[in-house]
Amino acid sequence: MSQHTQFVFKRYEFEANSGELRLYYGYDDSLEFCEYFKFDFEFTDYDEAALDRALQLLFFMAGVSYYKLYLAPEIVVQAGDIDESLAAFLSKTYQRGLGEFFYVNRLDPETPITFPPNTDQLEPVKLVEQTGQLIGLGGGKDSLLSVELLRDQTKVATWSLNHHSQLEPLVEKVGLPHFSVEREWDKQLKSLNEQGALNGHVPISAIFACVGAVVSILTGYKDNVVSNESSASEPTLNYRGVDINHQYSKSLEYEQDFQAIISQLFGDGLRYYSFLRPLSELHIAELFAQIGFTKYKDVFSSCNRAFRHNENHLFWCGECAKCAFVFLILTPFIERNQLESLWGGKNLLLDASLQKTYKQLLGLQGDKPLDCVGEVKESRAAMRLAQEIYPELSHYKFDLSADYDFRSWSAQALPSETYDILRSKLTNQQSEHS
């Protein structure tokens, strides 16, 4: 499979004065890559040992973008400490997180990926000063709902990775302290892909989680908060008997795996969780319509195409599966003209070119799209509600269990006091709108 025998984690270098991090990877002795991060904000007094450990975790996770080029059979670690549990976590996250990559490239989805332990069990670095909640801001409705539900807590801030100019109007509207991180891939990635090196989806949310751990330590925040919903745990398709999930690193399984590693590396000084995990995407859409849509309608986007490198503003493309899904789940809760205005007056549900996409979302044709979309059953629940508004959608025929309730709560991995905050907020919200 590979023209190279070894993928090498070579070294990582952090310059505290400039906030610049460089991660070096290689294949055998013939290729070297450098990935660049800039943590562009003022640092608090941080624990150097804890920061070094978080930088190592990011070093190991971000390597997946380069490892996937040739899938060398041997992984070599020349810098950083990996014990057996961290090796197992990294091996699993790479293997499962590359599921879609294996599928698209028609490779064995059970291709073994083995990180070698090089040290005895890592003991936690104790962090005692960390407090507050640091919310990852992605630009879409989910993270904005977390912001609105948590903004009255004692110490809350947001952070983002790349797309600074696109997110600036949104960050301004949020109005909380914000920390911005830049990331640059090695430019060789593009040219090697053009020459035939393998390309495809990587577990980007796993990298995001590791960047968040670094930001947490540099800013003194204890909770690294993401906004992944219950729907992210549903597999997208089955390939050669293996479930493939486009959103694996947004799943509850990954969240719990990452929590276990964070606990081992940092004790209880750092925490990672998805605040919206118990909720379905359809429930989140309803709550966002009530709490956040009016405030953010001009500055948010959940469309992945809105984050291309050459764009300097957020937009909705109106063509992708994510746009089709978001339009569907917001339809029952937002007035038609307001919703259509996001797409320049276009109604996606009535767009003939998206019929195939909606059939995929509804489980009526082929597999679910390889995109961050909800479960089949919640798409059906949303379409059932949309059909009451648009009788012309009656040609979508499907079954939906009578006992399915999109407002029911699912499994979660929240700290108990944070779970209580969510419960209390949503109880109050429900009483306001009942």
Side-chain angles (χ1 to χ4, degrees):
M1 184 187 296
S2 177
Q3 64 191 66
H4 298 278
T5 58
Q6 293 182 333
F7 179 73
V8 186
F9 289 85
K10 303 185 89 164
R11 64 193 185 281
Y12 61 99
E13 299 169 355
F14 182 68
E15 173 52 58
N17 291 333
S18 64
E20 295 180 344
L21 170 67
R22 287 178 171 82
L23 310 176
Y24 294 90
Y25 310 99
Y27 274 100
D28 303 323
D29 297 322
S30 56
L31 279 174
E32 180 171 285
F33 305 98
C34 176
E35 178 153 313
Y36 169 87
F37 287 85
K38 182 174 177 64
F39 295 86
D40 197 14
F41 47 83
E42 195 172 321
F43 303 161
T44 188
D45 291 331
Y46 58 83
D47 184 299
E48 291 199 10
L51 177 65
D52 184 61
R53 185 160 282 182
L55 293 173
Q56 286 188 34
L57 191 58
L58 174 55
F59 173 51
F60 294 133
M61 192 61 77
V64 70
S65 299
Y66 305 90
Y67 171 80
K68 77 177 193 309
L69 289 167
Y70 300 108
L71 300 179
E74 183 184 3
I75 289 174
V76 177
V77 177
Q78 293 179 348
D81 300 317
I82 299 182
D83 67 3
E84 285 191 8
S85 58
L86 181 55
F89 166 74
L90 292 167
S91 299
K92 178 182 177 182
T93 302
Y94 268 50
Q95 211 277 331
R96 299 286 296 281
L98 287 172
E100 177 180 329
F101 164 86
F102 291 133
Y103 166 71
V104 169
N105 289 286
R106 287 296 181 245
L107 302 172
D108 180 359
E110 296 186 284
T111 298
I113 300 174
T114 307
F115 276 76
N118 63 3
T119 190
D120 294 333
Q121 182 173 332
L122 293 166
E123 297 300 326
V125 177
K126 292 292 186 184
L127 287 163
V128 292
E129 301 299 326
Q130 310 282 121
T131 59
Q133 289 153 314
L134 183 65
I135 304 171
L137 205 59
K141 62 181 173 21
D142 299 358
S143 56
L144 291 173
L145 181 60
S146 291
V147 164
E148 292 308 307
L149 292 173
L150 288 170
R151 69 160 57 249
D152 63 351
Q153 299 303 300
T154 308
K155 181 183 173 187
V156 184
T158 58
W159 77 278
S160 61
L161 179 61
N162 284 355
H163 316 296
H164 177 75
S165 62
Q166 292 153 298
L167 290 171
E168 203 166 9
L170 178 63
V171 168
E172 197 173 308
K173 185 77 78 171
V174 167
L176 292 170
H178 184 77
F179 308 107
S180 203
V181 184
E182 294 174 31
R183 177 193 186 195
E184 288 182 16
W185 294 265
D186 191 300
K187 290 180 171 55
Q188 294 174 90
L189 275 178
K190 188 171 186 292
S191 58
L192 289 170
N193 287 146
E194 290 168 352
Q195 295 166 38
L198 294 169
N199 196 11
H201 182 73
V202 300
I204 186 65
S205 297
I207 298 171
F208 195 87
C210 295
V211 179
V214 176
V215 178
S216 293
I217 290 167
L218 290 175
T219 58
Y221 283 78
K222 179 173 184 172
D223 289 5
N224 180 5
V225 183
V226 294
S227 305
N228 305 322
E229 69 293 329
S230 64
S231 321
S233 298
E234 182 182 70
T236 309
L237 53 88
N238 189 278
Y239 169 56
R240 296 192 192 176
V242 175
D243 284 337
I244 304 296
N245 185 358
H246 170 80
Q247 303 189 82
Y248 172 72
S249 55
K250 288 185 175 181
S251 69
L252 177 60
E253 182 177 355
Y254 172 78
E255 179 180 346
Q256 291 172 321
D257 287 351
F258 191 67
Q259 285 176 336
I261 282 297
I262 288 291
S263 176
Q264 185 195 334
L265 299 181
F266 304 101
D268 59 2
L270 273 191
R271 301 193 300 191
Y272 171 87
Y273 54 82
S274 173
F275 186 60
L276 305 182
R277 177 66 68 192
L279 312 181
S280 73
E281 274 273 47
L282 190 51
H283 195 183
I284 290 168
E286 180 182 39
L287 293 165
F288 179 72
Q290 295 167 356
I291 298 171
F293 181 78
T294 301
K295 179 175 181 177
Y296 294 112
K297 65 180 189 302
D298 298 324
V299 291
F300 89 106
S301 175
S302 299
C303 171
N304 293 328
R305 296 184 188 180
F307 294 98
R308 290 185 206 145
H309 283 291
N310 59 350
E311 296 292 345
N312 61 4
H313 66 282
L314 292 182
F315 64 93
W316 300 83
C317 76
E319 299 169 358
C320 70
K322 188 70 178 287
C323 278
F325 177 69
V326 173
F327 193 100
L328 171 63
I329 60 173
L330 288 176
T331 290
F333 312 116
I334 291 175
E335 193 270 326
R336 175 174 178 167
N337 288 340
Q338 281 202 312
L339 187 56
E340 289 176 355
S341 69
L342 297 183
W343 283 271
K346 182 179 176 183
N347 190 303
L348 273 56
L349 283 171
L350 306 180
D351 183 346
S353 69
L354 288 172
Q355 279 196 24
K356 180 183 176 185
T357 301
Y358 281 117
K359 286 179 180 177
Q360 291 174 320
L361 291 169
L362 295 166
L364 302 175
Q365 179 179 322
D367 295 310
K368 271 199 327 184
L370 289 164
D371 210 329
C372 296
V373 297
E375 296 175 310
V376 167
K377 61 189 175 187
E378 66 182 323
S379 289
R380 291 183 175 188
M383 184 61 79
R384 190 62 55 83
L385 293 170
Q387 286 171 335
E388 295 174 11
I389 303 167
Y390 301 105
E392 56 267 52
L393 297 176
S394 61
H395 61 91
Y396 292 112
K397 300 190 186 305
F398 49 82
D399 295 323
L400 180 64
S401 174
D403 61 0
Y404 174 67
D405 177 7
F406 71 84
R407 296 187 187 94
S408 64
W409 287 45
S410 300
Q412 45 79 30
L414 289 165
S416 58
E417 73 277 12
T418 314
Y419 181 80
D420 290 342
I421 292 169
L422 183 63
R423 269 284 183 205
S424 170
K425 292 280 186 181
L426 266 57
T427 299
N428 293 341
Q429 188 65 23
Q430 191 174 3
S431 63
E432 284 177 23
H433 285 84
S434 58

